[in-house]
């Protein structure tokens, strides 16, 4: 349950939307991220202009909202693309330098250029398919490069569940609240079994969706 809630947060952050199509329910939430705050950039081949692209996207946010992006969330794969970019390495170490760039050196250079600091987020979770098999899924897509300002981008709001309302007064059912997730433990006699059910009603808010710039790196 915690993983599903975190997946919604990350989906909102990089896409500005949440799409639900599971357990027979189809729904969507649009947080209003402007279309001109989303773009695709080719940084993996050719002669990319990574610094210019970052500066351009940052300036777009400043122009539209007055807020300045100060941090970036991306994958280790995209970070490595940036670290190995010849133009950036030359800007830091000079032309023809063979020295490899570190994350600390990169962020120090970006700070000097008044560009956001980069952090990686490669966490994953598992989902179970209809065939019973599990597969690993990333919270943040590997090709995502999300620029955002300082501060909290939103909150996660929790509501009462049907289990909490209907079952908490039944003496044969032990319901304990774990944070904002309700866990119900009960037994049945036909079939003879013990059951544990966990449930939550949750939805992230994203009031600062217009202050985020989402780049898909091709």
């Amino acid at each position: 349950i915690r993983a599903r809630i975190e997946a919604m947060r990350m989906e909102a952050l990089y896409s500005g939307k949440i799409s639900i199509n599971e357990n027979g329910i189809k729904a969507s939430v649009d947080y209003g991220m402007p279309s001109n705050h989303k773009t695709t950039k080719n940084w993996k081949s050719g002669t990319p202009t990574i610094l210019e692209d970052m500066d351009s996207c940052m300036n777009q946010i400043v122009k539209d909202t007055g807020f300045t992006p100060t941090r970036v969330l991306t994958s280790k794969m995209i970070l490595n693309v940036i670290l190995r970019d010849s133009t950036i390495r030359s800007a830091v170490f000079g032309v023809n330098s063979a020295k490899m760039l570190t994350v600390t050196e990169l962020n120090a250079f970006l700070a000097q250029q008044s560009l956001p600091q980069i952090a990686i987020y490669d966490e994953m979770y598992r989902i179970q398919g209809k065939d019973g098999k599990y597969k690993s899924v990333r919270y943040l897509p590997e090709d995502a490069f999300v620029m955002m300002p300082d501060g909290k981008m939103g909150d996660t709001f929790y509501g009462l569940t049907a289990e909490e309302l209907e079952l908490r007064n039944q003496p044969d059912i032990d319901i304990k609240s774990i944070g904002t997730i309700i866990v119900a433990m009960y037994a049945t006699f036909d079939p003879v079994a013990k059951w544990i059910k966990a449930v939550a009603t949750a939805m992230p808010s994203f009031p600062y969706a217009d202050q985020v710039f989402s780049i898909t790196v091709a």
Side-chain angles (χ1 to χ4, degrees), residues 150-161:
D150 283 330
K152 183 169 62 175
M153 303 309 297
D155 293 284
T156 301
F157 292 98
Y158 294 84
L160 292 173
T161 65

Side-chain angles (χ1 to χ4, degrees), residues 129-140:
K130 294 180 179 180
D131 58 0
K133 296 181 179 180
Y134 288 92
K135 67 176 181 178
S136 296
V137 181
R138 296 176 57 92
Y139 289 109
L140 185 72

Side-chain angles (χ1 to χ4, degrees), residues 112-130:
Q112 293 173 355
Q113 304 301 311
S114 298
L115 291 173
Q117 301 290 282
I118 297 176
I120 61 173
Y121 186 75
D122 281 330
E123 298 297 320
M124 304 180 76
Y125 64 102
R126 294 196 311 165
I127 61 174
Q128 187 176 25
K130 294 180 179 180

Side-chain angles (χ1 to χ4, degrees), residues 11-200:
E11 184 180 2
L13 180 65
Y14 74 80
S15 71
K17 299 179 181 179
I18 292 177
S19 298
I20 301 170
N21 185 7
E22 56 197 85
N23 300 322
I25 297 175
K26 290 185 178 181
S28 62
V29 178
D30 190 338
Y31 291 96
M33 183 184 291
S35 59
N36 66 334
H37 291 185
K38 304 176 186 178
T39 190
T40 299
K41 297 293 184 181
N42 183 9
W43 291 353
K44 297 179 185 177
S45 60
T47 54
T49 54
I50 297 174
L51 295 177
E52 290 85 349
D53 291 341
M54 288 181 62
D55 189 60
S56 174
C57 294
M58 185 182 72
N59 289 338
Q60 186 68 55
I61 295 294
V62 174
K63 175 184 175 183
D64 293 345
T65 69
F67 289 88
T68 302
T70 58
R71 51 188 175 149
V72 168
L73 205 59
T74 191
S75 66
K76 184 177 181 181
M77 185 268 288
I78 298 302
L79 175 61
N80 286 337
V81 169
I82 297 171
L83 291 174
R84 293 166 183 162
D85 181 75
S86 58
T87 301
I88 295 177
R89 287 174 55 209
S90 296
V92 176
F93 300 125
V95 180
N96 298 324
S97 174
K99 184 178 179 181
M100 294 302 298
L101 188 62
T102 67
V103 178
T104 301
E105 291 167 336
L106 172 64
N107 278 328
F109 172 73
L110 292 175
Q112 293 173 355
Q113 304 301 311
S114 298
L115 291 173
Q117 301 290 282
I118 297 176
I120 61 173
Y121 186 75
D122 281 330
E123 298 297 320
M124 304 180 76
Y125 64 102
R126 294 196 311 165
I127 61 174
Q128 187 176 25
K130 294 180 179 180
D131 58 0
K133 296 181 179 180
Y134 288 92
K135 67 176 181 178
S136 296
V137 181
R138 296 176 57 92
Y139 289 109
L140 185 72
E142 194 172 33
D143 59 359
F145 188 88
V146 185
M147 305 172 68
M148 68 195 91
D150 283 330
K152 183 169 62 175
M153 303 309 297
D155 293 284
T156 301
F157 292 98
Y158 294 84
L160 292 173
T161 65
E163 288 77 9
E164 187 177 13
L165 291 171
E166 300 295 332
L167 301 179
R168 61 184 172 182
N169 294 324
Q170 296 188 23
D172 60 332
I173 297 179
D174 181 16
I175 292 185
K176 295 181 180 179
S177 176
I178 302 178
T180 48
I181 298 174
I182 300 302
V183 179
M185 297 166 281
Y186 59 96
T188 57
F189 296 99
D190 188 14
V192 176
K194 289 186 177 180
W195 304 84
I196 298 176
K197 179 181 181 181
V199 63

